[in-house]
Amino acid sequence: MKIRTKTSITEHHPISHGGRFSGGNRHIDVLDFSSNTSPAGMPSSVKSAMKKRLDEMGHYPDTDSINLLSSLKKYTRLSDSHIVVGNGAIEILYNFCNTFLSKKRVLIPTPTFSEYESASKLADCKFTFFKTMDLSKNLDSFILQIPTNGCVFVCNPNNPTGTILPKKQLIKIISSAKNKSCLVFVDECFIELVPESNQSIINLVKKYDNLFVLRSLTKSYGLAGIRIGYGIGSKTIIEILKK
């Protein structure tokens, strides 16, 4: 029997990331600078909390993540109707592309996090890559290429260049995209490491229904192995993603 599936899947090449188990590397004595995880490791408070709850590992988890959502509501100052939780930020990224971007046009500034391209390819998207080492210096040209009824990806601060796009410039992108019925996917997985903490745009999801923001507990909190990510968006986007 010949098993058939989408060409985008059969031709897909999973992204190789840094880290202890990347590229066949399983030597614990190697100093790895490729995965951008905290050298301080997991917080001792997390270790203590996990030890106290080990007996619960034999049970299925709460699929609604009620306790986590309660904490995220306090942290983000947004209601849980604006928040979706996932098994790491990557799961949310792929679910977002699969849900909203099938066969649409996407605009991606490069160099940047490679999973945007990978997830979009599996959704059969068409690409435009905008080459820049500092998007803030090429903003007007970038905005001119925003696709109608498509999606724009922005990593802020950007991985791997470390540059950050000021909030005013991000708002300009989001507003211009809204006029073209275009979604804007902003990755803020490194935002807590930015000295100017007010550069986050999560509070704008109430104003712009075309905005979605990705967050993670991996980088800033040293919890890569636990796989906790969350997304912030309009009530409509979140309601759909939770399904």
Side-chain angles (χ1 to χ4, degrees), residues 48 50 57 61 73 102-103 114 138 166 175 177 188 204 207 220:
S48 177
M50 290 180 68
M57 299 301 173
K73 283 169 59 177
S102 179
K103 298 182 180 180
S114 53
N138 310 106
S175 178
E188 287 192 348
L204 297 179
K207 182 178 180 180
S220 305

Side-chain angles (χ1 to χ4, degrees), residues 16-17 19-27 30:
S16 178
H17 290 279
R20 179 176 168 185
F21 301 110
S22 66
N25 170 36
R26 293 175 179 267
H27 301 288
V30 173

Side-chain angles (χ1 to χ4, degrees), residues 25 39 90 98 102 112 126 131 144-145 149 153 170 209 216 240:
N25 170 36
I90 293 297
N98 185 49
S102 179
T112 194
K126 297 180 180 179
K131 295 182 180 181
L144 287 175
Q145 296 193 39
N149 194 34
F153 287 90
L170 258 178
D209 58 2
S216 172
I240 294 171

Side-chain angles (χ1 to χ4, degrees), residues 22-58:
S22 66
N25 170 36
R26 293 175 179 267
H27 301 288
I28 60 174
D29 57 340
V30 173
L31 294 177
D32 179 24
F33 293 92
S34 64
S35 59
N36 300 324
T37 53
S38 171
M42 182 186 297
S44 58
S45 57
V46 175
K47 294 179 182 179
S48 177
M50 290 180 68
K51 288 178 181 179
K52 292 178 181 178
R53 308 295 285 271
L54 284 176
D55 288 341
E56 296 184 22
M57 299 301 173

Side-chain angles (χ1 to χ4, degrees), residues 6 8-9 11-17 89-106 108 112-127 129 151 153 185 187 214:
K6 295 195 307 179
S8 59
I9 293 178
E11 295 181 353
H12 180 66
H13 297 285
I15 299 299
S16 178
H17 290 279
I90 293 297
E91 181 191 44
I92 299 173
L93 167 61
Y94 277 77
N95 284 347
F96 180 92
C97 292
N98 185 49
T99 303
F100 299 111
L101 304 188
S102 179
K103 298 182 180 180
K104 293 188 176 182
R105 297 200 67 88
V106 298
I108 304 176
T112 194
F113 188 46
S114 53
E115 292 283 6
Y116 310 142
E117 177 184 354
S118 178
S120 298
K121 278 183 176 178
L122 286 178
D124 295 312
C125 294
K126 297 180 180 179
F127 298 88
F129 295 105
C151 183
F153 287 90
F185 186 106
D187 183 342
L214 186 67

Side-chain angles (χ1 to χ4, degrees), residues 96 100-101 105-107 109 135 142-143 146-147 149-156 165 169-187 201 205 208-214 232-234 237:
F96 180 92
F100 299 111
L101 304 188
R105 297 200 67 88
V106 298
L107 175 61
L135 185 56
F142 181 76
I143 288 176
I146 291 176
N149 194 34
C151 183
V152 173
F153 287 90
V154 178
C155 187
N156 204 45
L165 198 62
Q169 292 187 326
L170 258 178
I171 292 174
K172 191 173 181 180
I173 292 175
I174 298 165
S175 178
S176 299
K178 185 175 175 66
N179 292 334
K180 293 187 174 183
S181 300
C182 179
L183 294 169
V184 179
F185 186 106
V186 179
D187 183 342
I201 44 88
V205 295
Y208 296 100
D209 58 2
N210 65 320
L211 172 64
F212 183 79
V213 183
L214 186 67
I232 300 166
S234 69
I237 287 178

